[in-house]
Amino acid sequence: MERRKLMYVHGFASSGSSGTVMCLRRLLPDWQVIAPDLPVDPFEAMELLRGIVEKEKPEIVIGTSMGGMYTQQLWGVPRIVVNPSFEMSRSLLFGKMGRNKYMSKRADGATEFRIDKGVVERFKQLEKEQFAGIDEREKQLVMGLFGDKDPVVQFRPLMASLYGEERCRWFRGEHRLNDEIVAKVLIPLLHELLPERSNGYEWEKYR
């Protein structure tokens, strides 16, 4: 039987070989976890992600922080956004301008990258349209997870206003995921949303 597919979208300064990805692969051995390294430019990142969704047709997409912002915009596929950073342009201005180091290994071998005003402006452009695709169908395809002690971003009120309070859940934790949260919060939610191949979202009709 073909393995089920999950796409994971990493956060700022991370990669597709992050600890969260390794944990997902260890705890979901029957799944294919697709985890691309994202370009710095947000429009290039969105183009890459939409292309992967179109080609690979994952059953679900999970994104954290910056990756949650991208994941929210992948219309038509069930998805979980964890501590989404919906205002990356503003976040980048506080301590992230200039040279940054990647926190995990990249497939291309890159170890650092730069954030300049041009990148910030590109994020501003993307953010202006990031909620334009929300309709009643999309409200049933997205769940938000929010750390109750997240010191970085707090966008649960915004998410609840857009998708409904019932599509938002708290978990005990901060901004970044750890193995315990992945095992005890994220994976149970995944199984709740996709209990079997013919899941509650009638995924096939959205292909």
Side-chain angles (χ1 to χ4, degrees):
M1 180 181 293
E2 183 179 355
R3 288 196 296 169
R4 306 177 76 173
K5 294 180 180 180
L6 175 159
M7 184 168 77
Y8 176 77
V9 186
H10 66 73
F12 181 79
S14 190
S15 75
S17 63
S18 70
T20 299
V21 174
M22 298 301 104
C23 184
L24 286 169
R25 287 175 174 157
R26 183 174 68 253
L27 296 177
L28 295 170
D30 296 331
W31 286 70
Q32 178 184 351
V33 178
I34 303 164
D37 292 347
L38 299 180
V40 175
D41 182 275
F43 285 94
E44 292 179 9
M46 285 304 308
E47 182 179 7
L48 172 67
L49 293 170
R50 286 170 176 149
I52 294 173
V53 168
E54 179 66 25
K55 179 181 178 181
E56 299 292 341
K57 297 179 172 55
E59 290 190 52
I60 195 164
V61 180
I62 299 171
T64 57
S65 192
M66 179 186 72
M69 182 269 291
Y70 289 139
T71 297
Q72 189 272 148
Q73 301 174 71
L74 295 174
W75 318 119
V77 56
R79 52 208 189 274
I80 300 171
V81 297
V82 185
N83 291 327
S85 184
F86 292 135
E87 295 181 1
M88 278 300 300
S89 60
R90 190 165 69 174
S91 296
L92 294 176
L93 294 174
F94 296 94
K96 297 181 176 67
M97 298 297 289
R99 187 172 66 180
N100 294 266
K101 290 187 176 181
Y102 286 114
M103 295 182 291
S104 52
K105 187 176 181 180
R106 303 267 296 189
D108 62 4
T111 58
E112 60 183 38
F113 62 101
R114 290 189 64 82
I115 297 295
D116 56 26
K117 290 182 179 179
V119 173
V120 173
E121 286 302 316
R122 296 281 281 174
F123 271 102
K124 285 183 179 179
Q125 293 173 28
L126 184 70
E127 289 162 7
K128 289 178 181 178
E129 302 296 330
Q130 65 179 317
F131 304 121
I134 300 174
D135 57 21
E136 289 306 311
R137 184 187 76 172
E138 291 301 326
K139 291 179 181 180
Q140 299 304 310
L141 289 175
V142 179
M143 287 293 296
L145 283 177
F146 298 87
D148 60 357
K149 294 179 177 62
D150 185 349
V152 181
V153 295
Q154 277 294 350
F155 287 109
R156 177 176 172 139
L158 176 58
M159 182 91 179
S161 71
L162 294 167
Y163 285 94
E165 187 65 37
E166 69 279 5
R167 309 307 296 175
C168 301
R169 296 187 185 179
W170 291 111
F171 67 88
R172 292 184 179 179
E174 298 188 6
H175 188 66
R176 295 179 183 174
L177 294 176
N178 57 38
D179 289 5
E180 181 179 9
I181 296 170
V182 172
K184 295 184 178 181
V185 178
L186 186 58
I187 289 181
L189 177 58
L190 182 151
H191 289 313
E192 176 186 334
L193 299 180
L194 301 175
E196 55 189 34
R197 288 187 181 274
S198 56
N199 60 77
Y201 290 122
E202 297 181 275
W203 163 238
E204 289 298 323
K205 76 178 184 179
Y206 296 133
R207 293 291 178 111

Tab-separated table of all heavy atoms in Angstrom, residues 12 88 91-100 113-115 152:
chain	number	residue	atom	x	y	z
A	12	PHE	N	11.162	30.088	10.463
A	12	PHE	CA	12.264	30.978	10.107
A	12	PHE	C	13.604	30.381	10.517
A	12	PHE	O	13.757	29.862	11.620
A	12	PHE	CB	12.073	32.326	10.778
A	12	PHE	CG	13.140	33.336	10.464
A	12	PHE	CD1	13.115	34.034	9.266
A	12	PHE	CD2	14.168	33.587	11.364
A	12	PHE	CE1	14.092	34.973	8.966
A	12	PHE	CE2	15.140	34.529	11.079
A	12	PHE	CZ	15.118	35.214	9.872
A	88	MET	N	5.186	38.418	9.544
A	88	MET	CA	6.619	38.191	9.422
A	88	MET	C	7.370	39.473	9.096
A	88	MET	O	8.494	39.683	9.557
A	88	MET	CB	6.894	37.140	8.353
A	88	MET	CG	6.736	35.704	8.815
A	88	MET	SD	7.842	35.275	10.188
A	88	MET	CE	9.452	35.568	9.438
A	91	SER	N	8.108	41.080	12.298
A	91	SER	CA	9.017	40.267	13.113
A	91	SER	C	10.456	40.374	12.624
A	91	SER	O	11.396	40.400	13.419
A	91	SER	CB	8.576	38.801	13.087
A	91	SER	OG	7.314	38.633	13.682
A	92	LEU	N	10.625	40.453	11.303
A	92	LEU	CA	11.975	40.502	10.734
A	92	LEU	C	12.716	41.779	11.116
A	92	LEU	O	13.950	41.790	11.168
A	92	LEU	CB	11.904	40.388	9.209
A	92	LEU	CG	11.413	39.056	8.656
A	92	LEU	CD1	11.304	39.127	7.135
A	92	LEU	CD2	12.321	37.912	9.069
A	93	LEU	N	11.985	42.826	11.391
A	93	LEU	CA	12.616	44.107	11.719
A	93	LEU	C	13.228	44.117	13.114
A	93	LEU	O	14.014	45.015	13.446
A	93	LEU	CB	11.595	45.239	11.595
A	93	LEU	CG	11.063	45.524	10.181
A	93	LEU	CD1	9.957	46.556	10.254
A	93	LEU	CD2	12.192	45.997	9.268
A	94	PHE	N	12.881	43.153	13.940
A	94	PHE	CA	13.363	43.124	15.318
A	94	PHE	C	14.376	41.993	15.505
A	94	PHE	O	14.030	40.869	15.849
A	94	PHE	CB	12.197	42.964	16.292
A	94	PHE	CG	11.239	44.127	16.257
A	94	PHE	CD1	10.112	44.099	15.455
A	94	PHE	CD2	11.492	45.262	17.015
A	94	PHE	CE1	9.240	45.184	15.419
A	94	PHE	CE2	10.620	46.349	16.987
A	94	PHE	CZ	9.502	46.307	16.179
A	95	GLY	N	15.636	42.310	15.208
A	95	GLY	CA	16.713	41.364	15.476
A	95	GLY	C	17.036	40.381	14.381
A	95	GLY	O	17.907	39.515	14.569
A	96	LYS	N	16.354	40.477	13.227
A	96	LYS	CA	16.601	39.496	12.170
A	96	LYS	C	17.145	40.113	10.880
A	96	LYS	O	17.393	39.389	9.917
A	96	LYS	CB	15.317	38.713	11.866
A	96	LYS	CG	14.807	37.898	13.047
A	96	LYS	CD	13.560	37.122	12.675
A	96	LYS	CE	13.105	36.227	13.818
A	96	LYS	NZ	12.632	36.994	14.972
A	97	MET	N	17.346	41.413	10.874
A	97	MET	CA	17.902	42.057	9.693
A	97	MET	C	19.383	41.710	9.557
A	97	MET	O	20.084	41.509	10.544
A	97	MET	CB	17.721	43.570	9.783
A	97	MET	CG	16.267	44.017	9.838
A	97	MET	SD	15.334	43.584	8.354
A	97	MET	CE	16.066	44.715	7.156
A	98	GLY	N	19.838	41.647	8.314
A	98	GLY	CA	21.236	41.317	8.073
A	98	GLY	C	21.458	39.823	7.975
A	98	GLY	O	20.596	39.071	7.516
A	99	ARG	N	22.621	39.388	8.413
A	99	ARG	CA	23.002	37.983	8.274
A	99	ARG	C	22.409	37.119	9.384
A	99	ARG	O	22.435	37.480	10.552
A	99	ARG	CB	24.531	37.858	8.287
A	99	ARG	CG	25.030	36.457	7.992
A	99	ARG	CD	26.536	36.440	7.832
A	99	ARG	NE	27.196	36.780	9.093
A	99	ARG	CZ	28.511	36.837	9.223
A	99	ARG	NH1	29.307	36.641	8.184
A	99	ARG	NH2	29.046	37.130	10.411
A	100	ASN	N	21.847	35.973	8.993
A	100	ASN	CA	21.293	34.999	9.930
A	100	ASN	C	21.860	33.616	9.631
A	100	ASN	O	22.161	33.309	8.480
A	100	ASN	CB	19.762	34.935	9.798
A	100	ASN	CG	19.076	36.216	10.220
A	100	ASN	OD1	18.665	36.357	11.358
A	100	ASN	ND2	18.949	37.162	9.292
A	113	PHE	N	22.019	33.172	5.650
A	113	PHE	CA	21.239	33.917	4.676
A	113	PHE	C	21.078	35.338	5.175
A	113	PHE	O	21.341	35.636	6.343
A	113	PHE	CB	19.870	33.261	4.460
A	113	PHE	CG	19.006	33.223	5.699
A	113	PHE	CD1	17.973	34.134	5.878
A	113	PHE	CD2	19.226	32.269	6.696
A	113	PHE	CE1	17.176	34.104	7.010
A	113	PHE	CE2	18.436	32.236	7.838
A	113	PHE	CZ	17.411	33.151	8.001
A	114	ARG	N	20.626	36.219	4.294
A	114	ARG	CA	20.482	37.628	4.655
A	114	ARG	C	19.025	38.082	4.531
A	114	ARG	O	18.313	37.672	3.620
A	114	ARG	CB	21.361	38.513	3.766
A	114	ARG	CG	22.851	38.374	4.011
A	114	ARG	CD	23.623	39.428	3.245
A	114	ARG	NE	23.306	40.772	3.696
A	114	ARG	CZ	23.860	41.350	4.772
A	114	ARG	NH1	24.750	40.701	5.489
A	114	ARG	NH2	23.523	42.585	5.114
A	115	ILE	N	18.635	38.912	5.464
A	115	ILE	CA	17.342	39.589	5.407
A	115	ILE	C	17.610	41.077	5.213
A	115	ILE	O	18.329	41.701	5.997
A	115	ILE	CB	16.529	39.374	6.702
A	115	ILE	CG1	16.189	37.891	6.894
A	115	ILE	CG2	15.259	40.216	6.667
A	115	ILE	CD1	15.272	37.314	5.852
A	152	VAL	N	6.757	34.697	21.514
A	152	VAL	CA	7.162	35.259	20.223
A	152	VAL	C	5.993	35.893	19.485
A	152	VAL	O	6.028	37.065	19.111
A	152	VAL	CB	7.833	34.182	19.338
A	152	VAL	CG1	8.265	34.781	18.006
A	152	VAL	CG2	9.035	33.576	20.069
